[in-house]
Amino acid sequence: MRNAFAETLYDIAKDDPDVFIVVADISPGAALAAFQDEFAERFVNVGVSEQAMIGVCAGLALRGCKPFAYTIATFAAYRPFEMIRDDLCYQNLPVTVVGVGGGVNYSFLGGTHHAQEDVAVMSAIPNMTVVAPCDPLEASAATRAIMDVPGPVYLRLGKAGEPVLTEGAEPFALGKVRYLQRGDDVCILTYGPIAKLGRALADRLTEEGRSVSIVSVHTLKPIDAEGIERALHEHDEVIVLEEHAPTGGLADKVKAIAWDTKAPCELRAHTLKDEFVHLYGPHETLLAAHGLDLETIAAASGQLA
């Protein structure tokens, strides 16, 4: 996913001399390395100084440029939070803050590298748009769409190895939910790399005789309240699946819409736990420790004996 973002931004930068990338001592992957080599004057590494990264981006935006701040999600969202709030959002500047490895993607590095509250934190700031694509194709589409957003954006990405889930799906539109497949009985609302688990869950429920919709809620702010309301009212069961803390993420937003619109469906939310899980290992191991695994979720949906 991060490679898809970098390759797309590189293509955009070929025709747009105002595109800059500002990084905080993170090693550039292949596509970012190409950007660095070809557009060296537009690639800035501020070192281990995330606050300066945001300040430089703000200055570039004030000069009419289109800067992207790029680093690991915990360091993109938390360490420079005051600067994001005051330098970017308060002035409504068109800067995209790219957080790589949202959720517990950096599973071998412990809680300091787990961005399990970032959607809530970024969504709380006025003027901020929050986008979290579910696969490489959607990451590319989101990157292009972000270029037209007049204010700050938080782009939450996975790391690498995410499967393609959106081939043949409805067209991408920023601010609108996107059906990856349509069914009648169950609707899975999800975003980010954990959508892969949503696909596996849909396959399991289909085997059990259920007709399943999968929806990418890639834009978390502004949320597509009307699209979510329709999903809540058109399915008997709605499952929210997200790699984020239970507070302040998609689950809370969906529950509020369900309450406000008196949705008649059964609503289940599966999120990260409201705790720091002191465990190190593969990404799937961390997710399972939080209860985000196929067997646990399918059992909660009443599909296993």
Side-chain angles (χ1 to χ4, degrees), residues 119-166:
V119 170
V121 170
M122 292 294 104
S123 295
I125 316 175
N127 293 327
M128 180 65 86
T129 295
V130 179
V131 183
C134 71
D135 76 347
L137 294 181
E138 197 165 79
S140 180
T143 302
R144 293 190 181 279
I146 283 168
M147 301 303 297
D148 296 325
V149 177
V153 177
Y154 178 62
L155 178 61
R156 188 195 215 224
L157 298 177
K159 284 168 54 185
E162 301 88 359
V164 171
L165 302 172
T166 60

Side-chain angles (χ1 to χ4, degrees), residues 6-7 12 29 54 60-61 66 73 92 106 204 226 238 254 282 286 298:
E7 290 165 3
I12 293 170
I54 299 301
L60 288 168
K66 301 173 184 176
N92 200 26
Y106 280 94
R204 172 67 66 85
E226 292 183 359
V238 175
V254 172
L286 266 292

Side-chain angles (χ1 to χ4, degrees), residues 74-135:
T74 46
F75 308 126
Y78 303 151
R79 190 170 294 176
F81 175 79
E82 180 183 1
M83 289 71 191
I84 292 173
R85 180 184 183 274
D86 296 346
D87 293 353
L88 305 187
C89 295
Y90 184 68
Q91 301 182 83
N92 200 26
L93 296 179
V95 174
T96 298
V97 179
V98 183
V100 179
V104 294
N105 228 262
Y106 280 94
S107 54
F108 286 96
L109 298 181
T112 57
H113 284 61
H114 295 170
Q116 58 194 63
E117 321 88 350
D118 55 336
V119 170
V121 170
M122 292 294 104
S123 295
I125 316 175
N127 293 327
M128 180 65 86
T129 295
V130 179
V131 183
C134 71
D135 76 347

Side-chain angles (χ1 to χ4, degrees), residues 27-239:
S27 299
L32 276 187
F35 187 107
Q36 183 181 20
D37 291 341
E38 188 165 341
F39 311 117
E41 73 283 359
R42 291 190 270 148
F43 186 94
V44 182
N45 188 346
V46 299
V48 186
S49 184
E50 290 81 4
Q51 295 93 336
M53 175 183 69
I54 299 301
V56 169
C57 284
L60 288 168
L62 288 170
R63 296 295 297 270
C65 300
K66 301 173 184 176
F68 286 72
Y70 179 94
T71 191
I72 295 171
T74 46
F75 308 126
Y78 303 151
R79 190 170 294 176
F81 175 79
E82 180 183 1
M83 289 71 191
I84 292 173
R85 180 184 183 274
D86 296 346
D87 293 353
L88 305 187
C89 295
Y90 184 68
Q91 301 182 83
N92 200 26
L93 296 179
V95 174
T96 298
V97 179
V98 183
V100 179
V104 294
N105 228 262
Y106 280 94
S107 54
F108 286 96
L109 298 181
T112 57
H113 284 61
H114 295 170
Q116 58 194 63
E117 321 88 350
D118 55 336
V119 170
V121 170
M122 292 294 104
S123 295
I125 316 175
N127 293 327
M128 180 65 86
T129 295
V130 179
V131 183
C134 71
D135 76 347
L137 294 181
E138 197 165 79
S140 180
T143 302
R144 293 190 181 279
I146 283 168
M147 301 303 297
D148 296 325
V149 177
V153 177
Y154 178 62
L155 178 61
R156 188 195 215 224
L157 298 177
K159 284 168 54 185
E162 301 88 359
V164 171
L165 302 172
T166 60
E167 195 168 23
E170 293 180 349
F172 178 91
L174 198 68
K176 297 295 182 182
V177 299
R178 184 188 195 193
Y179 279 79
L180 310 190
Q181 70 178 49
R182 286 188 178 267
D184 298 318
D185 301 324
V186 182
C187 181
I188 300 170
L189 300 173
T190 188
Y191 64 91
I194 202 170
K196 177 177 70 172
L197 179 58
R199 173 69 74 184
L201 176 62
D203 291 343
R204 172 67 66 85
L205 297 180
T206 299
E207 292 173 0
E208 297 289 336
R210 310 290 294 282
S211 177
V212 184
S213 294
I214 307 175
V215 179
S216 172
V217 190
H218 48 73
T219 305
L220 295 151
K221 184 185 178 185
I223 196 75
D224 182 6
E226 292 183 359
I228 291 174
E229 178 183 352
R230 285 194 295 272
L232 290 167
H233 286 261
E234 292 175 357
H235 298 84
D236 295 329
E237 181 180 355
V238 175
I239 300 170

Side-chain angles (χ1 to χ4, degrees), residues 116-117 244-248 270-277 289-291:
Q116 58 194 63
E117 321 88 350
H244 187 270
T247 302
H270 300 274
T271 70
L272 297 176
K273 295 178 180 179
D274 185 23
E275 62 183 74
F276 295 108
V277 173
H290 280 275

